[in-house]
Amino acid sequence: MSKVVLVTGASRGVGAEVATQLAGPHHHVVVNFREKAKRADAVVDAVRAAGGYASAIQTDVSDEQAVAAMLAEIAERFGGLDVLVLNASGGLEPGADEDYPMRLNRDAQVRLARLALPLMAAGGRIVFVTSHLAHFHGRKPVPADYLPIATSKQAGEEALRGMHQEFEAAGITFVVVSGDMIEGSTMVRLFERRDPDAVAARRHAGDGLPSAKEFACAIVRATHEPHRNGDTVYVGGPDYLS
């Protein structure tokens, strides 16, 4: 029996890598995307080519009605959901209002987790994907350009941790995976244009920056390895942990 895994923001970057690494006969990967249909279809094809099962569902996770419709489709097609990977995030999109980061990185994450719970049987897993810049915000410096994301993603993590009793009652394990800057990511390229010394310092702080593949591997492991409710998995950035 295949486990049904919903990965949000899975048409590119880390989300696409997570979906692809989940490929196999024991998973049906639901590739959630907001607008990049061709990229999402390519991820589905990659999963299937690797011997797995996958489908794509277009949904803006900040749209409550759209999220409810996506989960209803999952319930109808597959009968339930085993794993939810909360990977979608943002906040610096052109034209976004100042409240958008909090709506997406906190409110949408909590709402999706809460709406997904009735679909999930005991033993299910919810994984929240974040960055060290957000997870350690307030304890470590954050570049000014990233501050809206760091603040809102940290708020999202704290709000999800506040659902501990709901997760416990449903038999669901909640795990956070936090990573250093990801080599080659859009955010790193943005930082390199504006503050190359800061990125160079991050590379120097550890044994280079983790790749999207390395970060995704940790996320995939977090979907099935033994964990206590509320555990945090760290990827890269050893200086953050000292």
Side-chain angles (χ1 to χ4, degrees):
M1 188 71 175
S2 296
K3 286 188 175 182
V4 179
V5 185
L6 170 59
V7 184
T8 65
S11 64
R12 61 179 180 176
V14 170
E17 187 66 44
V18 169
T20 304
Q21 288 190 25
L22 284 166
H26 302 300
H27 293 127
H28 186 108
V29 184
V30 180
V31 176
N32 160 253
F33 69 101
R34 187 179 66 170
E35 56 186 8
K36 304 295 184 181
K38 288 185 178 180
R39 290 181 178 179
D41 289 343
V43 174
V44 169
D45 289 343
V47 173
R48 291 174 176 171
Y53 305 95
S55 53
I57 301 181
Q58 182 174 13
T59 305
D60 180 346
V61 296
S62 68
D63 183 329
E64 182 174 1
Q65 291 186 336
V67 167
M70 174 177 66
L71 292 173
E73 181 177 347
I74 290 172
E76 182 178 355
R77 292 179 61 184
F78 308 113
L81 180 66
D82 298 288
V83 179
L84 170 61
V85 179
L86 295 169
N87 170 74
S89 67
L92 298 180
E93 291 82 350
D97 63 81
E98 63 179 12
D99 295 327
Y100 179 68
M102 201 63 77
R103 291 201 308 272
L104 175 60
N105 298 325
R106 182 192 63 188
D107 301 345
Q109 309 302 315
V110 172
R111 180 170 55 240
L112 179 49
R114 184 160 281 135
L115 291 175
L117 277 180
L119 277 66
M120 304 180 75
R125 183 71 57 94
I126 296 177
V127 179
F128 179 69
V129 180
T130 190
S131 66
H132 288 353
L133 288 172
H135 181 76
F136 291 99
H137 178 39
R139 291 172 282 172
K140 298 287 186 177
V142 174
D145 289 340
Y146 194 78
L147 193 57
I149 296 179
T151 302
S152 56
K153 283 191 72 67
Q154 186 182 67
E157 179 182 339
E158 291 175 351
L160 286 162
R161 290 187 184 278
M163 296 176 63
H164 180 86
Q165 291 185 341
E166 292 177 62
F167 296 146
E168 287 280 349
I172 304 301
T173 303
F174 172 71
V175 180
V176 173
V177 181
S178 178
D180 199 356
M181 291 183 181
I182 304 302
E183 192 65 82
S185 67
T186 301
M187 195 59 63
V188 165
R189 291 196 295 270
L190 173 64
F191 285 159
E192 281 191 305
R193 289 197 296 269
R194 300 188 182 188
D195 191 353
D197 290 341
V199 177
R202 290 298 329 132
R203 291 194 178 104
H204 182 70
D207 187 18
L209 298 177
S211 66
K213 186 174 183 177
E214 291 168 333
F215 191 32
C217 184
I219 296 166
V220 170
R221 290 198 306 269
T223 67
H224 63 83
E225 289 184 341
H227 277 289
R228 295 172 301 177
N229 215 334
D231 276 356
T232 303
V233 176
Y234 297 103
V235 183
D239 56 311
Y240 277 96
L241 310 179
S242 60

